Amino acid sequence: MNFGSIIDTALEKTRTITAPIGDFLETTNLPQQISEVDFSGLFTNPWFLVPFIALVAYLLYKQAFRDLIIFAVLLGVWYASGTEYMQTLVVGDELQVNKVLPVLFGGAAILGFIIYLLFGRSD
């Protein structure tokens, strides 16, 4: 058995696992729904706001500042992904490299910060 056939077998097994997940996400239009979120409507909706405030209050009560910081960073990334700058990263069919590099390095810095919070510090 050669190495190429082992890789092909592993890739085929991976496809059988991930294909139903991809089909589910495609049928529910989840990526489209996430990209079209109305932030002002979301943060004035009590069905979202009450659990959100409860989670933040719980994290403050437990003094889980690391988790609160990670939560805030993820919310910031979610907000930044919907800005006009992110919408202009691809113009037509062409990727704007001068705009992608700051996003790439910013993402690497954020990922490094989260890894530092999770594994580098002790409470």
Side-chain angles (χ1 to χ4, degrees), residues 19-116:
I21 296 170
D23 293 340
F24 174 73
L25 291 177
E26 188 175 318
T27 58
T28 59
N29 297 323
L30 188 62
Q32 179 186 0
Q33 291 177 15
I34 291 173
S35 66
E36 295 176 355
V37 169
D38 177 23
F39 290 105
S40 61
L42 183 64
F43 283 99
T44 57
N45 184 350
W47 288 101
F48 173 79
L49 201 57
V50 170
F52 178 76
I53 291 172
L55 175 66
V56 171
Y58 175 75
L59 290 175
L60 287 173
Y61 172 74
K62 296 298 275 183
Q63 295 182 352
F65 298 115
R66 178 192 68 184
D67 297 337
L68 195 61
I69 290 170
I70 291 172
F71 189 61
V73 166
L74 292 177
L75 280 175
V77 167
W78 182 42
Y79 173 76
S81 67
T83 60
E84 184 65 31
Y85 184 81
M86 294 294 191
Q87 305 304 322
T88 60
L89 290 178
V90 177
V91 176
D93 289 336
E94 195 170 310
L95 186 66
Q96 304 298 315
V97 177
N98 59 344
K99 290 187 176 185
V100 170
L101 290 178
V103 173
L104 180 69
F105 290 124
I110 289 172
L111 185 62
F113 180 66
I114 289 176
I115 289 171
Y116 169 73

